[in-house]
Amino acid sequence: MRVALLVTHIRAEEKLILAAFNNREISPDIILDRELNIEITQGAEQLAPSGIAWRDYDLIFERCVSTSRGMYALAILNSWGVRTYNTYETAATCSDKLQTSIALMQHNIPQPHTRVAFTPDSAMQAIEDVKYPAVLKPVTGSWGRLLARVHNRDSAEAILEHRQTLGDYNHHTYYVQEYVDKPGRDIRAFVVGDRTIAAIYRASNHWITNTARGGLASNCPVTDQLDEICVRAAEAVGGGILAVDVLEDTRGAFVVNEINHTMEFRNSSQPTGVDIAQEVIDFVIGQIGVVA
Amino acid sequence: MGNRMALCPACDGEVVIPADAMENEIVSCLECGAELEIMCLDPLELDLAPEVEEDWGE
């Protein structure tokens, strides 16, 4: 079985993934996204930077920290019929919060009330429609960057003016959500195929609970209810290997906040007791075996 | 092979390179906090890691 890991660089997760492959006696080639130089029309016959033709790989496992590089690489590889995890379809949906919202809506999966507007004036109206506090997010981005909880009209006006003046066109799509008054934590659930293999609470005194921003991880029991909504959410965006971020509202009901297609999990195996990397890789190997 | 030491290209401080380090792995300088990329293991060569870009993430 010939596998390549497509990366921007090697982080803790990639080392865990490589170790998990090695446990199954597979040694993936490592391909750096910075070395890609692809002739689109030559197809999978051409050589990857590893010196191996793309078509000769049974799987390209995409783990780029650069969302755009990873997504476009998947687009090209999938168009040639090269098998990847995740697929371009899944990556393109997850990398865009608006596209994710649409997918969740189409599959009747609960999510925070969300509005979209394209000018500062209509965005102000959208913010007042969802009521204060509202949350303003860029449609692309990660690690809690550039999120704003907006408490009143004064701060809304300031943030919208800054976004319109300082941001490029990506920041002129105004994605506005109701603020979900969560209990000082959110849930990150790891979905592999059709199963939620583990979940963590991410607790923080700050309203942004990402572990990249200091949120503390602890085990979250995977109940049937949590498993069901997370697996449905994962399927809604195309399925694969995904981290589903879930909020609990004041009634304790789950709403899906966003879905990540190149999930980070270095801090999650210890509290959950689940070897997430090995679960992921065993699933991937099994899937290759199914179609081989 | 055990841990090795390398000089930080930002501050000239000593950086511990773990025995299981890999090329293109990101390590941190504990003296100045710089993120560094291991460009080569033999001979050991570090460079400043790329700056985080707007589309980086999960």
Side-chain angles (χ1 to χ4, degrees), chain A residues 94-111:
Chain A
C94 292
S95 64
D96 184 314
K97 292 181 176 64
L98 175 50
Q99 296 288 1
T100 301
S101 289
I102 293 168
L104 295 174
M105 174 270 295
Q106 288 176 320
H107 291 79
N108 297 314
I109 294 163
Q111 60 181 313

Side-chain angles (χ1 to χ4, degrees), chain A residues 8-10 15 18 30 32 34 64-69 141-143 145 171 188 260-264, chain B residues 18-27 35-39 49-58:
Chain A
T8 304
H9 45 237
I10 301 290
K15 290 186 84 171
L18 289 165
I30 294 171
L32 300 175
R34 74 191 79 158
C64 299
V65 72
S66 166
T67 302
S68 55
R69 295 181 198 177
S142 191
W143 297 336
R145 285 192 308 260
H171 294 282
R188 159 150 301 192
N260 302 278
H261 67 282
T262 45
M263 63 196 197
E264 295 168 358
Chain B
D20 66 346
M22 299 177 58
E23 289 188 357
N24 305 112
E25 182 175 345
I26 300 296
V27 295
E35 288 217 309
L36 308 169
E37 182 170 350
I38 301 172
M39 306 307 294
E51 293 285 329
V52 173
E53 295 188 32
E54 191 175 341
D55 74 327
W56 282 24
E58 298 184 80

Side-chain angles (χ1 to χ4, degrees), chain A residues 102-165:
Chain A
I102 293 168
L104 295 174
M105 174 270 295
Q106 288 176 320
H107 291 79
N108 297 314
I109 294 163
Q111 60 181 313
H113 294 300
T114 303
R115 304 187 77 90
V116 175
F118 300 106
T119 69
D121 286 347
S122 54
M124 174 61 77
Q125 187 59 54
I127 289 169
E128 302 215 319
D129 286 342
V130 303
K131 307 209 180 311
Y132 297 107
V135 176
L136 195 55
K137 301 177 176 178
V139 289
T140 58
S142 191
W143 297 336
R145 285 192 308 260
L146 296 175
L147 306 187
R149 183 167 58 168
V150 186
H151 288 280
N152 54 47
R153 189 175 180 92
D154 279 353
S155 52
E157 286 175 347
I159 292 165
L160 293 174
E161 184 183 6
H162 280 76
R163 287 269 300 264
Q164 191 70 19
T165 305

